[in-house]
Amino acid sequence: MRSLPGGRDKNRFLLYQLELSMLRAERIDMIVSFLMESGVRMILDDLEQALKRGVKIRILTGNYLGITQPGALCLIKDRLGDQVDLRFYNEKERSFHPKAYIFRRKDLGEIYIGSSNVSRSAFTSGIEWNYHFDDRRDSHSFHQFCDTFEDLFYNHSVIINDEVLK
């Protein structure tokens, strides 16, 4: 387990850590309050490479206060098409503010959880606090987060298609 408090050391940037995890992942799940174009541009090549390796990618985001940028969603849809299962959390009566990046492969499941949405600042030099752990060290918590993601993704979301984007 380690914390990633951000700052000036590029090796501690969340972006760097996510890129390493994406390279090895067989499945990628992201649950973030919002997506910004600046952050999507930073991970788009890595997501595309993962898809070419057959990785399943799911992203659940929010549209609370209109912060998620339509341009960020369009970048994903235009470049990756329907290969990425992209959804909006859709319960109006509950706030939606998670930020977690879940990676699975045959021998390991890992999660980064903390304060970073998908934005340039959150991925690089912004003051963000994130925590990384894997299913070897804390299997119970890892599976609890994964189960919650599954529930929110399949039971409390709407697929972002062309009609929803309009």
Side-chain angles (χ1 to χ4, degrees):
M1 292 185 261
R2 65 178 177 222
S3 62
L4 305 164
R8 303 204 189 288
D9 180 357
K10 291 185 179 183
N11 290 328
R12 297 185 65 83
F13 284 179
L14 181 60
L15 177 66
Y16 178 74
Q17 301 299 319
L18 294 178
E19 287 172 340
L20 291 176
S21 293
M22 282 191 267
L23 280 172
R24 300 181 303 244
E26 294 170 4
R27 187 171 178 174
I28 299 170
D29 293 326
M30 296 181 192
I31 179 169
V32 291
S33 302
F34 62 79
L35 299 164
M36 305 296 283
E37 285 183 53
S38 64
V40 169
R41 288 184 193 284
M42 296 183 91
I43 61 172
L44 209 46
D45 288 342
D46 297 301
L47 293 175
E48 186 172 42
Q49 291 304 315
L51 286 171
K52 287 179 182 175
R53 292 191 328 269
V55 173
K56 181 179 180 178
I57 301 172
R58 300 180 296 175
I59 302 172
L60 179 59
T61 192
N63 58 2
Y64 177 68
L65 299 176
I67 296 174
T68 291
Q69 295 176 326
L73 300 170
C74 289
L75 279 171
I76 293 170
K77 295 299 271 181
D78 290 347
R79 180 101 168 257
L80 308 176
D82 291 331
Q83 295 178 83
V84 172
D85 195 342
L86 183 61
R87 298 183 184 207
F88 270 137
Y89 175 76
N90 72 344
E91 285 190 24
K92 305 285 188 242
E93 61 279 352
R94 281 173 56 190
S95 66
F96 180 80
H97 212 247
K99 293 135 189 113
Y101 304 84
I102 304 167
F103 301 93
R104 293 184 192 102
R105 59 184 202 238
K106 284 184 184 75
D107 63 335
L108 183 70
E110 58 183 337
I111 187 169
Y112 298 83
I113 189 164
S115 64
S116 294
N117 281 295
V118 176
S119 72
R120 175 179 294 279
S121 173
F123 283 163
T124 58
S125 58
I127 304 299
E128 302 280 353
W129 287 20
N130 296 287
Y131 191 67
H132 172 263
F133 66 93
D134 61 52
D135 63 351
R136 291 180 189 157
R137 294 201 174 117
D138 191 348
S139 179
H140 176 75
S141 294
F142 179 81
H143 291 288
Q144 202 170 26
F145 281 112
C146 290
D147 291 346
T148 300
F149 175 86
E150 294 294 324
D151 177 55
L152 293 170
F153 195 81
Y154 288 115
N155 300 316
H156 305 278
S157 71
V158 60
I159 296 170
I160 300 173
N161 55 28
D162 292 340
E163 188 174 316
V164 171
L165 276 175
K166 290 177 187 175

